[in-house]
Amino acid sequence: MKRSKYVQLSMAASVAMAISGCGPTEKTYAVQKKYNFQSVQQCADEKLPVDVCSDAYMTALTEHRRMAPVYDNQADCDADFVADWCQQDSAGKFIPRLGGFELTADGQVTQSQVDAARAQLPASEASSSGGSGFSTSSLLTGLLIGNMLSNNRNSYYSEPVYRYRDDRGSYGSSTLSQRIAKGSTFYRSNQAKYGSGYSTTTTRPAKKPISVASSTSRGGFGSKASARSGWGGGSSS
């Protein structure tokens, strides 16, 4: 009798757990946004967590030191970038100045997160972003990305950005991998002359999960000295 009652209770608990696990799954959306910043402060002004901005800047600076094209003379460096933009290093070689950093963030958001972000929009923007579902509103996407990074979820990566002049003589800012994808070879550089050259696989850093602490704070690493750091140059082309 006791055993029968125990079996019945166990079965009832199993059924209850099964029912609770069969509820409707909330719809999710993939979001991605690329930002092109000239300073940590500019990044923070876009409502992104300041420690993510600082980490992205430091990553781009490290990548710049690792993979920036190196030239024997300034003329060759200027030809690939912008006149008088290159600097001489301690070894007497010439490298382009860092022109900023590109931060790419992506991940998944739920319908409730979309609704919460839409509630923060100005009335004019909210009405144009649609009712249910997810629209491609730039402001809405920015809010979602900012909230996503603040909650230490999903991933991002950053790359150094450089100034250059295109075939039409216009100025622009771009990562090395973007220029390589459009056909640039940097054949004047020492890497191309004496090494294996450049490729989109060697210049694109791997994505990394959010791991920085206190993301919602504006007083973290980089809020003072790094936040003021910036470089000459214009916006992304």
Side-chain angles (χ1 to χ4, degrees), residues 78-83 163-172 179:
D78 288 348
D80 277 345
F81 294 93
V82 176
R163 291 276 282 161
Y164 75 101
R165 296 195 70 175
D166 60 24
D167 295 336
R168 296 171 295 179
S170 299
Y171 291 94
R179 290 189 62 188

Side-chain angles (χ1 to χ4, degrees), residues 8-20:
Q8 290 176 358
L9 289 173
S10 297
M11 292 180 62
S14 300
V15 171
M17 291 179 64
I19 292 175
S20 64

Side-chain angles (χ1 to χ4, degrees), residues 75-125:
D76 284 345
C77 186
D78 288 348
D80 277 345
F81 294 93
V82 176
D84 299 321
W85 186 256
C86 296
Q87 297 176 315
Q88 193 170 21
D89 63 15
S90 59
K93 305 298 182 180
F94 291 85
I95 60 173
R97 282 190 287 162
L98 183 64
F101 63 98
E102 181 179 88
L103 189 157
T104 302
D106 59 13
Q108 298 284 331
V109 295
T110 63
Q111 181 64 61
S112 59
Q113 291 170 328
V114 172
D115 295 338
R118 185 180 287 112
Q120 301 177 48
L121 296 175
S124 57
E125 183 76 15

Side-chain angles (χ1 to χ4, degrees), residues 69-77 80 93-94 185-198:
V70 179
Y71 300 84
D72 288 328
N73 60 76
Q74 185 170 356
D76 284 345
C77 186
D80 277 345
K93 305 298 182 180
F94 291 85
T185 60
F186 303 101
Y187 68 90
R188 302 178 183 87
S189 69
N190 290 353
Q191 289 95 327
K193 289 179 180 178
Y194 312 122
S196 57
Y198 283 94

